[in-house]
Coordinates of all heavy atoms in Angstrom, one line a residue:
M128 N -89.9 153.5 98.5 CA -90.0 152.4 99.4 C -90.0 152.9 100.9 O -90.9 152.6 101.7 CB -88.9 151.4 99.2 CG -89.0 150.2 100.1 SD -87.9 149.0 99.5 CE -87.9 147.9 100.9
L129 N -89.0 153.8 101.2 CA -89.0 154.3 102.6 C -90.2 155.2 102.8 O -90.7 155.2 104.0 CB -87.7 155.1 102.7 CG -86.4 154.3 103.1 CD1 -85.2 155.2 103.2 CD2 -86.6 153.6 104.4
D130 N -90.6 155.9 101.8 CA -91.8 156.8 102.0 C -93.0 156.0 102.5 O -93.7 156.4 103.4 CB -92.1 157.6 100.7 CG -91.1 158.7 100.4 OD1 -90.5 159.2 101.4 OD2 -91.0 159.0 99.2
Q131 N -93.2 154.8 101.8 CA -94.4 154.0 102.2 C -94.2 153.5 103.6 O -95.2 153.4 104.4 CB -94.6 152.9 101.2 CG -95.8 152.1 101.5 CD -97.1 152.9 101.4 OE1 -97.3 153.7 100.5 NE2 -97.9 152.7 102.4
Q132 N -93.0 153.0 104.0 CA -92.8 152.5 105.3 C -93.0 153.6 106.4 O -93.5 153.3 107.4 CB -91.4 151.9 105.4 CG -91.2 150.6 104.6 CD -89.8 150.1 104.6 OE1 -88.9 150.8 104.8 NE2 -89.7 148.8 104.5
I133 N -92.6 154.8 106.0 CA -92.8 155.9 107.0 C -94.3 156.2 107.2 O -94.8 156.4 108.3 CB -92.0 157.2 106.5 CG1 -90.5 157.0 106.6 CG2 -92.5 158.4 107.3 CD1 -89.7 158.0 105.9
K134 N -95.0 156.2 106.0 CA -96.5 156.4 106.1 C -97.1 155.3 106.9 O -98.0 155.5 107.7 CB -97.1 156.5 104.7 CG -96.8 157.7 104.0 CD -97.4 157.8 102.6 CE -96.9 159.0 101.9 NZ -97.4 159.0 100.5
D135 N -96.7 154.0 106.7 CA -97.2 152.9 107.5 C -97.0 153.1 109.0 O -97.8 152.8 109.8 CB -96.6 151.6 107.0 CG -97.1 151.2 105.6 OD1 -98.1 151.8 105.1 OD2 -96.4 150.3 105.0
L136 N -95.8 153.5 109.3 CA -95.5 153.8 110.7 C -96.3 154.9 111.3 O -96.7 154.8 112.5 CB -94.0 154.0 110.9 CG -93.1 152.8 111.1 CD1 -91.6 153.2 111.2 CD2 -93.4 152.0 112.3
E137 N -96.5 156.0 110.5 CA -97.3 157.1 111.0 C -98.7 156.6 111.3 O -99.3 156.9 112.3 CB -97.4 158.2 110.0 CG -96.1 159.0 109.9 CD -96.1 160.0 108.8 OE1 -96.9 159.9 107.8 OE2 -95.3 160.9 108.8
L138 N -99.3 155.7 110.4 CA -100.6 155.1 110.6 C -100.6 154.3 111.9 O -101.5 154.3 112.7 CB -101.0 154.4 109.4 CG -102.4 153.7 109.5 CD1 -103.5 154.8 109.7 CD2 -102.7 152.9 108.2
R139 N -99.6 153.5 112.0 CA -99.5 152.6 113.2 C -99.5 153.4 114.5 O -100.2 153.1 115.5 CB -98.3 151.7 113.1 CG -98.0 150.8 114.3 CD -96.8 149.9 114.1 NE -96.3 149.3 115.3 CZ -96.9 148.3 116.0 NH1 -98.0 147.9 115.6 NH2 -96.3 147.8 117.1
I140 N -98.7 154.5 114.5 CA -98.6 155.3 115.7 C -99.9 156.0 116.0 O -100.4 156.0 117.1 CB -97.5 156.4 115.5 CG1 -96.1 155.7 115.5 CG2 -97.6 157.5 116.6 CD1 -95.0 156.6 115.1
S141 N -100.6 156.4 114.9 CA -101.9 157.0 115.1 C -102.9 156.0 115.7 O -103.7 156.4 116.7 CB -102.4 157.5 113.8 OG -103.7 158.1 113.9
N142 N -102.9 154.8 115.2 CA -103.8 153.8 115.8 C -103.5 153.4 117.2 O -104.4 153.3 118.1 CB -103.7 152.5 114.9 CG -104.4 152.7 113.5 OD1 -105.2 153.6 113.3 ND2 -103.9 151.9 112.6
L143 N -102.2 153.4 117.5 CA -101.8 153.1 118.9 C -102.1 154.2 119.8 O -102.6 154.0 121.0 CB -100.3 152.8 119.0 CG -99.8 151.5 118.3 CD1 -98.3 151.4 118.3 CD2 -100.3 150.3 119.1
E144 N -102.0 155.5 119.4 CA -102.4 156.6 120.2 C -103.9 156.6 120.5 O -104.4 156.9 121.6 CB -102.0 157.9 119.5 CG -100.5 158.1 119.6 CD -100.0 159.3 118.8 OE1 -100.8 159.8 117.9 OE2 -98.9 159.8 119.1
T145 N -104.7 156.2 119.5 CA -106.1 156.0 119.7 C -106.4 155.0 120.7 O -107.3 155.2 121.6 CB -106.8 155.7 118.3 OG1 -106.6 156.7 117.4 CG2 -108.3 155.5 118.5
K146 N -105.7 153.9 120.7 CA -105.9 152.8 121.7 C -105.5 153.3 123.1 O -106.2 153.0 124.1 CB -105.0 151.6 121.4 CG -105.5 150.7 120.3 CD -104.6 149.5 120.1 CE -105.1 148.7 118.9 NZ -104.2 147.5 118.7
T147 N -104.4 154.1 123.2 CA -104.1 154.6 124.5 C -105.1 155.5 125.1 O -105.4 155.5 126.3 CB -102.7 155.3 124.5 OG1 -102.7 156.4 123.7 CG2 -101.6 154.4 124.1
N148 N -105.7 156.4 124.2 CA -106.8 157.2 124.7 C -108.0 156.5 125.2 O -108.6 156.8 126.2 CB -107.2 158.2 123.6 CG -106.1 159.2 123.2 OD1 -105.2 159.5 124.0 ND2 -106.1 159.7 122.0
A149 N -108.3 155.4 124.4 CA -109.5 154.6 124.9 C -109.2 153.9 126.2 O -110.0 153.7 127.0 CB -109.8 153.5 123.8
L150 N -107.9 153.4 126.3 CA -107.6 152.7 127.6 C -107.6 153.7 128.8 O -108.0 153.3 129.9 CB -106.2 152.0 127.4 CG -106.1 150.8 126.6 CD1 -104.7 150.3 126.4 CD2 -107.0 149.7 127.1
T151 N -107.2 154.9 128.5 CA -107.2 155.9 129.6 C -108.7 156.1 130.1 O -108.9 156.1 131.3 CB -106.6 157.3 129.1 OG1 -105.3 157.0 128.7 CG2 -106.7 158.3 130.2
E152 N -109.6 156.2 129.1 CA -111.0 156.4 129.5 C -111.5 155.2 130.2 O -112.3 155.3 131.1 CB -111.8 156.7 128.2 CG -111.5 158.0 127.5 CD -111.6 159.2 128.5 OE1 -112.7 159.3 129.2 OE2 -110.7 160.1 128.5
E153 N -111.1 154.0 129.7 CA -111.6 152.8 130.4 C -111.0 152.7 131.8 O -111.8 152.3 132.7 CB -111.1 151.6 129.5 CG -111.7 150.3 130.0 CD -111.2 149.1 129.1 OE1 -110.7 149.3 128.0 OE2 -111.4 148.0 129.6
A154 N -109.8 153.1 132.0 CA -109.2 153.1 133.4 C -109.9 154.0 134.3 O -110.2 153.7 135.4 CB -107.7 153.4 133.3
K155 N -110.3 155.2 133.7 CA -111.0 156.2 134.5 C -112.4 155.6 134.9 O -112.8 155.8 136.1 CB -111.2 157.5 133.7 CG -110.0 158.3 133.6 CD -110.3 159.6 132.8 CE -109.0 160.4 132.6 NZ -109.3 161.6 131.8
A156 N -113.0 154.9 134.0 CA -114.3 154.4 134.3 C -114.2 153.3 135.4 O -115.1 153.2 136.3 CB -115.0 153.8 133.0
K157 N -113.1 152.5 135.3 CA -112.9 151.4 136.3 C -112.7 152.1 137.7 O -113.2 151.6 138.7 CB -111.7 150.6 135.9 CG -111.9 149.7 134.7 CD -112.4 148.4 135.0 CE -112.5 147.5 133.8 NZ -113.2 146.3 134.0
L158 N -111.9 153.1 137.7 CA -111.7 153.8 139.0 C -113.0 154.4 139.6 O -113.2 154.3 140.8 CB -110.6 154.9 138.8 CG -109.2 154.5 138.9 CD1 -108.3 155.7 138.6 CD2 -108.8 153.9 140.2
K159 N -113.7 155.0 138.7 CA -115.0 155.6 139.1 C -115.9 154.5 139.7 O -116.7 154.7 140.6 CB -115.7 156.3 137.9 CG -116.7 157.3 138.3 CD -117.1 158.0 137.1 CE -117.8 159.3 137.5 NZ -118.2 160.1 136.3
A160 N -115.8 153.3 139.1 CA -116.7 152.2 139.6 C -116.1 151.5 140.8 O -116.6 150.5 141.4 CB -116.9 151.1 138.5
G161 N -114.9 151.9 141.2 CA -114.2 151.4 142.4 C -113.4 150.1 142.1 O -112.9 149.5 143.1
D162 N -113.1 149.9 140.9 CA -112.3 148.7 140.5 C -110.8 149.2 140.3 O -110.4 149.4 139.1 CB -112.8 148.1 139.2 CG -112.1 146.8 138.8 OD1 -111.2 146.4 139.6 OD2 -112.4 146.3 137.8
K163 N -110.1 149.3 141.4 CA -108.7 149.8 141.3 C -107.8 148.8 140.6 O -106.9 149.1 139.8 CB -108.1 150.1 142.7 CG -108.7 151.3 143.3 CD -108.0 151.6 144.6 CE -108.6 152.9 145.2 NZ -108.0 153.2 146.5
A164 N -108.0 147.5 140.9 CA -107.2 146.4 140.3 C -107.4 146.4 138.7 O -106.4 146.3 138.0 CB -107.5 145.1 140.8
G165 N -108.6 146.6 138.3 CA -108.9 146.6 136.9 C -108.3 147.8 136.2 O -107.8 147.7 135.1
A166 N -108.4 149.0 136.9 CA -107.8 150.2 136.4 C -106.3 150.0 136.2 O -105.7 150.4 135.2 CB -108.1 151.4 137.2
K167 N -105.7 149.4 137.2 CA -104.2 149.2 137.2 C -103.8 148.3 136.1 O -102.8 148.5 135.4 CB -103.8 148.6 138.6 CG -102.3 148.6 138.7 CD -101.9 148.1 140.1 CE -100.4 148.0 140.3 NZ -100.0 147.6 141.6
R168 N -104.6 147.2 135.9 CA -104.3 146.3 134.8 C -104.4 147.0 133.4 O -103.5 146.8 132.5 CB -105.3 145.1 134.8 CG -105.1 144.1 133.8 CD -106.1 142.9 133.9 NE -107.5 143.3 134.2 CZ -108.3 143.8 133.2 NH1 -107.9 143.8 132.0 NH2 -109.5 144.1 133.5
I169 N -105.4 147.9 133.3 CA -105.6 148.6 132.0 C -104.4 149.6 131.8 O -103.9 149.7 130.7 CB -107.0 149.3 132.0 CG1 -108.1 148.2 131.9 CG2 -107.0 150.3 130.8 CD1 -109.4 148.8 132.1
L170 N -104.0 150.2 132.9 CA -102.9 151.2 132.7 C -101.6 150.4 132.4 O -100.7 151.0 131.7 CB -102.7 152.0 134.0 CG -103.9 153.0 134.3 CD1 -103.7 153.7 135.6 CD2 -103.9 154.0 133.2
G171 N -101.5 149.2 132.8 CA -100.3 148.4 132.5 C -100.3 148.1 131.0 O -99.3 148.2 130.3
K172 N -101.5 147.8 130.4 CA -101.6 147.6 129.0 C -101.3 148.9 128.2 O -100.6 148.9 127.2 CB -103.1 147.3 128.6 CG -103.5 145.8 128.9 CD -104.9 145.6 128.4 CE -105.4 144.3 128.7 NZ -106.8 144.1 128.2
K173 N -101.7 150.0 128.8 CA -101.5 151.3 128.2 C -100.0 151.6 128.1 O -99.5 152.1 127.1 CB -102.2 152.4 128.9 CG -101.9 153.8 128.3 CD -102.6 154.9 129.1 CE -102.1 156.3 128.6 NZ -102.6 157.4 129.5
K174 N -99.3 151.3 129.2 CA -97.8 151.5 129.2 C -97.1 150.7 128.2 O -96.2 151.2 127.5 CB -97.3 151.1 130.6 CG -95.8 151.5 130.7 CD -95.2 151.1 132.1 CE -93.8 151.4 132.2 NZ -92.9 151.2 131.1
K175 N -97.5 149.5 127.9 CA -96.9 148.7 126.9 C -97.2 149.3 125.5 O -96.3 149.3 124.7 CB -97.5 147.2 126.9 CG -97.0 146.5 128.1 CD -97.6 145.1 128.2 CE -97.2 144.3 129.4 NZ -97.8 143.0 129.5
I176 N -98.3 149.8 125.3 CA -98.6 150.4 124.0 C -97.8 151.7 123.8 O -97.3 152.0 122.8 CB -100.2 150.7 123.9 CG1 -100.9 149.3 123.8 CG2 -100.5 151.6 122.6 CD1 -102.4 149.5 123.8
V177 N -97.7 152.5 124.9 CA -96.9 153.7 124.9 C -95.4 153.4 124.5 O -94.8 154.1 123.7 CB -97.0 154.5 126.2 CG1 -95.9 155.6 126.3 CG2 -98.3 155.1 126.4
D178 N -94.9 152.2 125.0 CA -93.6 151.8 124.7 C -93.5 151.4 123.2 O -92.5 151.7 122.6 CB -93.2 150.6 125.6 CG -92.9 150.9 127.0 OD1 -92.8 152.1 127.3 OD2 -93.0 150.0 127.8
Q179 N -94.5 150.8 122.7 CA -94.6 150.5 121.2 C -94.6 151.8 120.4 O -93.9 151.9 119.4 CB -95.8 149.7 120.9 CG -95.8 148.3 121.4 CD -97.0 147.5 121.0 OE1 -97.9 148.0 120.4 NE2 -97.1 146.2 121.4
I180 N -95.3 152.8 120.9 CA -95.3 154.1 120.2 C -93.9 154.7 120.1 O -93.4 155.1 119.1 CB -96.3 155.1 120.8 CG1 -97.7 154.6 120.6 CG2 -96.1 156.5 120.3 CD1 -98.8 155.4 121.4
K181 N -93.2 154.7 121.3 CA -91.9 155.2 121.3 C -90.9 154.5 120.4 O -90.1 155.1 119.7 CB -91.3 155.2 122.8 CG -92.0 156.2 123.7 CD -91.4 156.1 125.1 CE -92.2 157.0 126.0 NZ -91.7 156.8 127.4
Q182 N -91.1 153.2 120.4 CA -90.2 152.4 119.5 C -90.5 152.7 118.0 O -89.6 152.8 117.2 CB -90.5 150.9 119.8 CG -89.6 149.9 119.0 CD -89.9 148.5 119.3 OE1 -90.9 148.1 119.8 NE2 -88.9 147.6 119.0
S183 N -91.8 152.8 117.7 CA -92.2 153.1 116.3 C -91.7 154.5 115.9 O -91.2 154.7 114.8 CB -93.7 153.0 116.1 OG -94.1 151.7 116.3
E184 N -91.8 155.5 116.8 CA -91.3 156.8 116.5 C -89.8 156.8 116.3 O -89.3 157.5 115.4 CB -91.7 157.8 117.7 CG -93.1 158.1 117.7 CD -93.5 158.9 118.9 OE1 -92.8 158.9 120.0 OE2 -94.6 159.6 118.9
G185 N -89.1 156.0 117.1 CA -87.6 155.9 116.9 C -87.3 155.3 115.5 O -86.4 155.8 114.8
A186 N -88.0 154.3 115.1 CA -87.8 153.7 113.8 C -88.1 154.6 112.7 O -87.4 154.7 111.7 CB -88.6 152.4 113.7
M187 N -89.2 155.4 112.9 CA -89.6 156.3 111.9 C -88.6 157.4 111.7 O -88.2 157.8 110.6 CB -91.0 157.0 112.2 CG -91.5 157.8 111.1 SD -93.2 158.3 111.3 CE -93.1 159.4 112.7
A188 N -88.0 157.9 112.8 CA -87.0 158.9 112.8 C -85.7 158.4 112.0 O -85.1 159.1 111.2 CB -86.6 159.4 114.2
M189 N -85.4 157.2 112.3 CA -84.2 156.6 111.6 C -84.5 156.5 110.1 O -83.6 156.7 109.3 CB -83.9 155.2 112.2 CG -82.6 154.7 111.9 SD -82.1 153.1 112.7 CE -83.3 152.7 113.8
M190 N -85.7 156.0 109.7 CA -86.0 155.9 108.3 C -86.0 157.3 107.6 O -85.5 157.4 106.5 CB -87.4 155.3 108.1 CG -87.3 153.8 108.3 SD -88.9 153.1 107.8 CE -89.3 152.2 109.2
E191 N -86.5 158.3 108.3 CA -86.5 159.7 107.7 C -85.0 160.1 107.5 O -84.7 160.8 106.5 CB -87.3 160.6 108.6 CG -88.8 160.4 108.5 CD -89.6 161.2 109.5 OE1 -89.0 161.7 110.5 OE2 -90.8 161.4 109.3
E192 N -84.2 159.8 108.5 CA -82.8 160.2 108.4 C -82.1 159.5 107.2 O -81.3 160.1 106.5 CB -82.0 159.9 109.7 CG -80.6 160.4 109.7 CD -79.9 160.1 111.1 OE1 -80.6 160.1 112.1 OE2 -78.7 160.0 111.0
Q193 N -82.4 158.2 107.1 CA -81.9 157.4 106.0 C -82.3 158.0 104.6 O -81.6 158.0 103.7 CB -82.3 155.9 106.1 CG -81.6 155.2 107.2 CD -82.1 153.8 107.4 OE1 -83.1 153.4 106.8 NE2 -81.3 153.0 108.1
K194 N -83.6 158.4 104.6 CA -84.1 158.9 103.3 C -83.4 160.2 103.0 O -83.0 160.4 101.8 CB -85.6 159.2 103.5 CG -86.3 159.7 102.2 CD -87.8 159.9 102.5 CE -88.5 160.4 101.2 NZ -87.9 161.6 100.6
L195 N -83.1 161.1 104.0 CA -82.4 162.3 103.7 C -81.0 162.0 103.2 O -80.5 162.6 102.3 CB -82.3 163.1 105.0 CG -83.6 163.8 105.4 CD1 -83.4 164.5 106.8 CD2 -84.1 164.8 104.4
M196 N -80.3 161.0 103.8 CA -79.0 160.6 103.4 C -79.0 160.1 102.0 O -78.1 160.4 101.2 CB -78.4 159.6 104.4 CG -78.0 160.2 105.7 SD -77.1 159.2 106.9 CE -77.6 157.6 106.6
L197 N -80.0 159.3 101.6 CA -80.1 158.7 100.3 C -80.4 159.9 99.3 O -79.8 159.9 98.2 CB -81.2 157.7 100.2 CG -81.0 156.4 100.8 CD1 -82.2 155.5 100.9 CD2 -79.9 155.6 100.1
D198 N -81.2 160.8 99.6 CA -81.5 162.0 98.7 C -80.2 162.8 98.5 O -79.9 163.2 97.4 CB -82.6 162.9 99.3 CG -83.9 162.2 99.3 OD1 -84.1 161.2 98.6 OD2 -84.8 162.7 100.0
S199 N -79.4 163.0 99.6 CA -78.2 163.7 99.5 C -77.2 163.0 98.6 O -76.5 163.6 97.8 CB -77.6 163.9 100.9 OG -76.4 164.6 100.8
A200 N -77.1 161.7 98.8 CA -76.2 160.9 98.0 C -76.6 160.9 96.5 O -75.7 161.0 95.6 CB -76.2 159.4 98.5
E201 N -77.8 160.9 96.2 CA -78.3 161.0 94.8 C -78.0 162.4 94.2 O -77.5 162.5 93.1 CB -79.8 160.8 94.8 CG -80.4 160.9 93.4 CD -79.8 159.9 92.4 OE1 -79.4 158.8 92.8 OE2 -79.8 160.2 91.2
Q202 N -78.1 163.4 95.0 CA -77.8 164.8 94.5 C -76.3 164.9 94.3 O -75.8 165.4 93.3 CB -78.2 165.8 95.5 CG -79.7 166.0 95.6 CD -80.1 167.0 96.7 OE1 -79.2 167.5 97.5 NE2 -81.3 167.4 96.8
T203 N -75.5 164.3 95.1 CA -74.0 164.3 95.0 C -73.6 163.5 93.7 O -72.8 163.9 92.9 CB -73.3 163.7 96.2 OG1 -73.7 164.5 97.3 CG2 -71.8 163.7 96.0
R204 N -74.3 162.4 93.5 CA -74.0 161.5 92.3 C -74.4 162.3 91.1 O -73.6 162.3 90.1 CB -74.8 160.2 92.4 CG -74.4 159.3 91.2 CD -75.3 158.0 91.3 NE -76.7 158.3 91.0 CZ -77.2 158.5 89.8 NH1 -76.5 158.5 88.8 NH2 -78.5 158.7 89.7
A205 N -75.5 163.0 91.0 CA -75.9 163.7 89.9 C -74.9 164.9 89.6 O -74.6 165.2 88.4 CB -77.3 164.3 90.1
M206 N -74.5 165.5 90.7 CA -73.5 166.6 90.5 C -72.2 166.1 89.9 O -71.6 166.7 89.0 CB -73.3 167.3 91.9 CG -72.3 168.5 91.8 SD -72.0 169.2 93.4 CE -71.2 167.9 94.2
M207 N -71.7 165.0 90.4 CA -70.5 164.4 90.0 C -70.6 164.0 88.5 O -69.7 164.2 87.7 CB -70.1 163.2 90.8 CG -69.7 163.6 92.3 SD -68.5 164.8 92.4 CE -67.0 163.9 91.9
Q208 N -71.8 163.5 88.1 CA -72.0 163.1 86.7 C -71.9 164.4 85.8 O -71.4 164.4 84.7 CB -73.3 162.4 86.5 CG -73.2 160.9 87.0 CD -74.5 160.2 86.8 OE1 -75.6 160.8 86.7 NE2 -74.5 158.9 86.8
A209 N -72.5 165.4 86.3 CA -72.5 166.7 85.5 C -71.1 167.2 85.4 O -70.7 167.7 84.3 CB -73.4 167.7 86.2
I210 N -70.3 167.2 86.5 CA -69.0 167.6 86.4 C -68.2 166.8 85.4 O -67.4 167.3 84.6 CB -68.3 167.6 87.8 CG1 -68.9 168.7 88.7 CG2 -66.8 167.8 87.7 CD1 -68.6 168.6 90.1
K211 N -68.4 165.5 85.5 CA -67.6 164.5 84.6 C -68.0 164.8 83.2 O -67.2 164.9 82.3 CB -68.0 163.1 85.0 CG -67.2 162.1 84.2 CD -67.6 160.7 84.6 CE -66.9 159.7 83.7 NZ -67.3 158.3 84.0
A212 N -69.3 165.0 82.9 CA -69.7 165.3 81.5 C -69.2 166.7 81.1 O -68.7 166.8 79.9 CB -71.3 165.4 81.5
G213 N -69.1 167.6 82.0 CA -68.5 168.9 81.6 C -67.0 168.8 81.3 O -66.5 169.5 80.4
N214 N -66.3 168.0 82.0 CA -64.9 167.8 81.8 C -64.6 167.0 80.5 O -63.7 167.3 79.8 CB -64.2 167.0 82.9 CG -64.1 167.9 84.2 OD1 -64.1 169.1 84.1 ND2 -64.0 167.2 85.3
E215 N -65.5 166.1 80.1 CA -65.4 165.4 78.9 C -65.6 166.3 77.7 O -65.0 166.1 76.6 CB -66.3 164.2 78.8 CG -65.9 163.1 79.8 CD -66.9 162.0 79.9 OE1 -68.0 162.1 79.3 OE2 -66.7 161.0 80.6
D216 N -66.5 167.3 77.8 CA -66.8 168.2 76.7 C -65.7 169.2 76.5 O -65.5 169.8 75.5 CB -68.1 169.0 77.0 CG -69.3 168.1 77.0 OD1 -69.2 167.0 76.4 OD2 -70.4 168.5 77.5
S217 N -64.8 169.4 77.5 CA -63.8 170.4 77.4 C -62.6 170.0 76.6 O -62.3 168.9 76.3 CB -63.2 170.7 78.8 OG -64.2 171.2 79.6

């Protein structure tokens, strides 16, 4: 479940990065055409998308950390079961 959510976030980040690149090019074109206000507006949109990317990256890092903790807990549980089974056989 976490793996799929992590993949979904990676895809979202990739799509948002593509949007930021397109907005950068659009802002450059507006500046070249002399439309400073339009370029500024587009850069404002880009900043909001960059903030979304940062938020998604933070969420993804948290999910990856949770996945590692769950994996570790599962390994500990399996080890404890093996120890318990070994003690019962003794």
Side-chain angles (χ1 to χ4, degrees):
M128 183 170 167
L129 277 177
D130 287 333
Q131 185 59 46
Q132 289 177 335
I133 290 169
K134 287 179 185 177
D135 290 346
L136 273 175
E137 287 174 343
L138 180 60
R139 175 175 165 73
I140 290 168
S141 176
N142 290 338
L143 289 172
E144 287 173 343
T145 300
K146 283 183 183 180
T147 61
N148 293 337
L150 288 173
T151 299
E152 294 303 315
E153 189 176 344
K155 286 179 183 179
K157 294 268 186 190
L158 277 177
K159 200 172 200 178
D162 184 5
K163 288 184 180 180
K167 188 174 181 178
R168 183 178 43 82
I169 290 169
L170 291 176
K172 284 183 184 179
K173 179 184 171 186
K174 184 181 181 323
K175 289 178 185 177
I176 292 173
V177 168
D178 290 343
Q179 288 179 1
I180 291 171
K181 288 178 184 177
Q182 183 180 21
S183 294
E184 287 173 338
M187 188 170 67
M189 197 175 353
M190 280 189 234
E191 288 172 339
E192 186 176 332
Q193 287 175 346
K194 184 178 180 306
L195 289 173
M196 290 187 331
L197 287 171
D198 290 346
S199 177
E201 178 60 30
Q202 289 175 353
T203 302
R204 186 184 65 77
M206 181 181 67
M207 295 304 290
Q208 285 180 339
I210 290 171
K211 182 179 176 183
N214 287 339
E215 290 174 355
D216 290 341
S217 299

